Amino acid sequence: MAARESPTITGLDLDTVAPWLAGQIDLRLPLDVSRLAGGRSNLTYLLTDDTGRRTVLRRPPLGDLPATAHDVLREARLLEAVAGRVPVPAVLATCPDPAVTGAPFFVMEHLDGTVVRDPEGALSLDPQVRAAVGPSLVDALVALHEVDPDRLGLGDLAKRRDYAERQLRRWHRNWESTRTRDLPDLERTHAWLVEHCPEQSRSSIVHGDFRVDNCILGADGAVLGLLDWELSTVGDPLADLGQLLVYWAEPDDEFTALNSPPTRVPGFASRDELRDRYLAASGADPAEVAYYVVFNWWKTACIVEDVHTRMLRGAMGASDRTPESFGVQAQGLAARAWQETHALA
């Protein structure tokens, strides 16, 4: 028996996945399987074998996808490349054969820690732990940006200085190819970003979705593992800092990038403290940070609008939110991105 009696798990064929995994790593069948909450892009599952050992499986979402999107095997290679220099879960197995469960996938170790996704989770942390989370994230980010891209075989890409231009083309093209409606603020902000694109002075590995709920935290607030590497590339490291600042809500914020941000609870470091800690450790130019804040409000709007579109088409499986809620969120993000440009005019 490959799996115990359980509700249908969309996107995972247990009859073929379970024996394949048992032949790759030390798992004892049957398996208990459940979807893990969090990311709205690649599908993530918790596997528990008959001895209680837990592992995590990642596969692309359902449906037709752009050729280079949701490449989970690339994500696995990135994890293997930065291991030992950046806190990440170990990759245990990779499967390039879509015949096993309809798409390539990989399996990684399950880290025993906490993922703080909402205010309720944040309130469960002691105040001193909340205070430690932000500095630990910044330190992990600095460590990531010190990893040589040559370790990934991306040295040639690291020599390029057109990261922002490439990202603007990529996300705008992705939106244009899947769009179901007009979002004027998204278009206006894209034009502004193209016109004001700064000259890139540094290149590093860029995580691409760096935020607190993509990290597993220890009991002391330290980062045990960085997750969700599917958007990673080589480019301007300030893009990651801008992303962290966009997602890092403060108690008095009226609008937030995340639907229910944990850092809105008092006790976390401020955005200014995170920015200053990063700049002090990296020596980066503070003048370029504001551009990447605008860029990340815009990029996040593109991502959420893509989730909205895929949910409308039934490509995301079960969810705790409606497609309409993502549509409203994408509109708000696009409006905030456009608003941020006025402060820099």
Side-chain angles (χ1 to χ4, degrees), residues 16 34 44 52 57 74 111 119 136 191 218 274 289 291 303 305:
T16 53
S34 61
T44 307
L57 185 149
R74 179 178 180 274
L111 295 175
S136 180
L274 299 186
V289 176
Y291 175 89
I303 292 171
E305 180 66 4

Side-chain angles (χ1 to χ4, degrees), residues 59-65 314-316:
R59 61 146 290 165
L62 308 178
D64 294 331
L65 303 169
M316 290 301 298

Side-chain angles (χ1 to χ4, degrees), residues 163-307:
Y163 170 79
E165 293 96 326
R166 285 185 283 126
Q167 288 287 296
L168 289 168
R169 287 193 299 270
R170 172 189 176 181
W171 289 108
H172 190 260
R173 184 169 57 245
N174 186 64
W175 178 57
E176 287 286 355
S177 67
T178 61
R179 64 187 294 174
T180 58
R181 59 178 178 167
D182 292 330
L183 284 177
D185 286 335
L186 207 65
E187 287 287 10
R188 284 192 287 260
T189 306
H190 175 260
W192 185 95
L193 288 164
V194 170
E195 181 181 354
H196 294 85
C197 192
E199 182 178 352
Q200 182 178 332
S201 58
R202 299 174 60 212
S203 284
S204 74
I205 299 170
V206 174
H207 181 276
D209 198 15
F210 195 85
R211 64 195 205 204
V212 66
D213 59 320
N214 278 341
C215 299
I216 298 176
L217 304 174
D220 59 354
V223 176
L224 299 180
L226 301 181
L227 308 176
D228 290 354
W229 291 76
E230 65 194 85
L231 299 179
S232 299
T233 185
V234 174
D236 194 322
L238 289 181
D240 273 341
L241 178 61
Q243 186 81 13
L244 176 61
L245 297 177
V246 163
Y247 282 133
W248 195 268
E250 295 183 350
D252 295 335
D253 289 345
E254 293 184 4
F255 179 80
T256 58
L258 295 176
N259 191 48
S260 186
T263 57
R264 214 170 190 175
V265 171
F268 289 95
S270 69
R271 285 189 292 266
D272 286 348
E273 289 170 330
L274 299 186
R275 181 196 61 210
D276 292 347
R277 186 180 183 93
Y278 180 91
L279 294 176
S282 67
D285 182 357
E288 297 181 7
V289 176
Y291 175 89
Y292 279 107
V293 169
V294 176
F295 169 79
N296 277 290
W297 280 109
W298 176 83
K299 188 183 87 166
T300 305
C302 292
I303 292 171
V304 174
E305 180 66 4
D306 184 57
V307 174

Side-chain angles (χ1 to χ4, degrees), residues 129-153:
V129 175
R130 281 179 236 157
V133 171
S136 180
L137 260 70
V138 171
D139 293 347
L141 189 60
V142 171
L144 170 63
H145 293 163
E146 290 176 347
V147 175
D148 186 350
D150 276 328
R151 285 184 53 80
L152 305 182

Side-chain angles (χ1 to χ4, degrees), residues 81-94:
V82 302
R85 290 164 171 77
V86 179
V88 292
V91 174
L92 304 176
T94 59

